[in-house]
Amino acid sequence: MHKGKGMKFVGDSRISAERKPNVPKDYSEYPGRTEAFWPNFLLKEWLVGAVFLAGFLTLTLAHPSPLEGVADPTNAAYIPLPDWYFLFLYELLKYEFASGSWTIMGILVLPGLAFGGLLLAPFLDNGPGRRPHQRPVAVAMMILGLASVIWLTYESAAHVNWEERAEANKPIPTSEVEIDTDDPGYAIYENSCLQCHGEDLQGGAAAPGLIGTEHSAEEIATIAVEGIGSMPPDQFQGTDEELQQLVDFIVSVNEQAE
C-alpha cells in the first residue's frame, strides 16, 4: 500500500499492483536446451503435424486403398486377412500356446501384458538420465516389443501371394452387361469356363470375374491354355479357331461393359 493520493490496495502486500505484459523469457543463453512452450515449441509441433498430414494425404491420393470384391459368405475358399497393422496378432493366434483352448492367452493375456508393460516402462525406469544405457528397463522392453511385432508381421505376410490374392478378389463391376448367348463364343465359354467363372462372367467362389479384366486378347488366350495362379493349365481343350471365338466373346463383353 502506498500512501498519498495514488493509494492502491491489493490483496497481498507482496504482490505488485503494476501489471506486466506476459512476455516469454529469453532462452538464447541456453540454445537447444529449453524454450517457451507458447508459442515457440507449439508452433514447431504444428508445423511437423502439418507436413505429416500433407504427406499422408498425398500418399492416399497417389496409392488408393486396394479394394476386394463384395464379401461372399458361401465362398469357403476365401481366407480373410486383417489389415497389416494387426497381422502380428493374427500370427500370434496360430501358435499352440495362444490358440485352441488357450485362445484367451492370445487375444487378452499376452497382448495385455505386452502393452501394459510398455505403458509402465516410464515408471519402471524413472531415473533422471535419458540416454539408452541410463534407461535399461524401458529400452529393453521397447526393443523386445518392436522385434516381436516385426517378426510376427513378417511371418504372417511371408506366406501370402499378394498378387494372386488381389487378382482373385477383384471387385465386380456394377455395370449391367447383356450376355449374347447366341454368340458362337458363348457356347465354347459354356463348355470350358462357365462352371468356374459363372454364366454372366461375374466369377464365383472358384474363380474371379472376367468382366473388367486388365488382360489383353493375347493374354486371355494364353491363360485359357496355360492357366494362371490357382487356375490349372489345359482347361480349354478346343481348336485354335474355337479359342479365338472364346477370346473374341470375352473381349466383346468387356467392351460392352466399358
Side-chain angles (χ1 to χ4, degrees), residues 27-158:
Y27 294 95
S28 59
E29 297 181 4
Y30 308 97
R33 293 189 178 182
T34 183
E35 61 180 330
F37 177 78
W38 172 265
N40 302 14
F41 181 80
L42 197 56
L43 180 60
K44 293 180 180 178
E45 292 288 304
W46 284 346
L47 289 176
V48 172
V51 171
F52 175 82
L53 180 60
F56 182 77
L57 292 176
T58 302
L59 183 62
T60 57
L61 291 175
H63 299 281
S65 176
L67 300 178
E68 294 186 353
V70 179
D72 182 7
T74 63
N75 184 5
Y78 179 79
I79 301 178
L81 285 177
D83 291 317
W84 63 268
Y85 43 83
F86 282 133
L87 282 177
F88 71 99
L89 290 175
Y90 176 76
E91 180 67 18
L92 180 63
L93 296 175
K94 296 180 181 179
Y95 293 97
E96 185 177 354
F97 59 84
S99 60
S101 58
W102 297 94
T103 303
I104 194 69
M105 290 287 294
I107 63 177
L108 285 180
V109 178
L110 293 179
L113 290 176
F115 287 104
L118 293 178
L119 291 174
L120 293 176
F123 303 97
L124 298 176
D125 228 346
N126 56 0
R130 289 295 179 264
R131 297 181 181 275
H133 68 274
Q134 295 174 324
R135 301 174 64 84
V137 176
V139 172
M141 293 177 65
M142 180 59 69
I143 292 177
L144 178 62
L146 186 61
S148 300
V149 170
I150 293 176
W151 172 252
L152 289 173
T153 302
Y154 171 77
E155 283 292 303
S156 180

Side-chain angles (χ1 to χ4, degrees), residues 132-249:
H133 68 274
Q134 295 174 324
R135 301 174 64 84
V137 176
V139 172
M141 293 177 65
M142 180 59 69
I143 292 177
L144 178 62
L146 186 61
S148 300
V149 170
I150 293 176
W151 172 252
L152 289 173
T153 302
Y154 171 77
E155 283 292 303
S156 180
H159 307 291
V160 180
N161 189 330
W162 297 100
E163 294 182 358
E164 180 180 334
R165 181 182 176 86
E167 182 68 23
N169 296 289
K170 283 185 175 181
I172 299 174
T174 56
S175 58
E176 297 183 359
V177 179
E178 295 183 3
I179 306 299
D180 184 9
T181 56
D182 295 329
D183 190 300
Y186 180 79
I188 304 170
Y189 171 84
E190 192 174 17
N191 294 330
S192 303
C193 315
L194 185 143
Q195 183 177 359
C196 295
H197 294 280
E199 60 182 10
D200 53 0
L201 283 75
Q202 298 287 359
L210 297 179
I211 299 179
T213 179
E214 299 177 355
H215 296 293
S216 63
E218 292 77 10
E219 291 173 337
I220 294 175
T222 303
I223 293 172
V225 177
E226 300 179 2
I228 186 175
S230 59
M231 175 182 173
D234 300 327
Q235 291 296 298
F236 177 79
Q237 301 290 340
T239 64
D240 292 342
E241 181 181 357
E242 291 175 336
L243 177 61
Q244 186 61 45
Q245 291 176 340
L246 173 64
V247 172
D248 292 341
F249 167 71

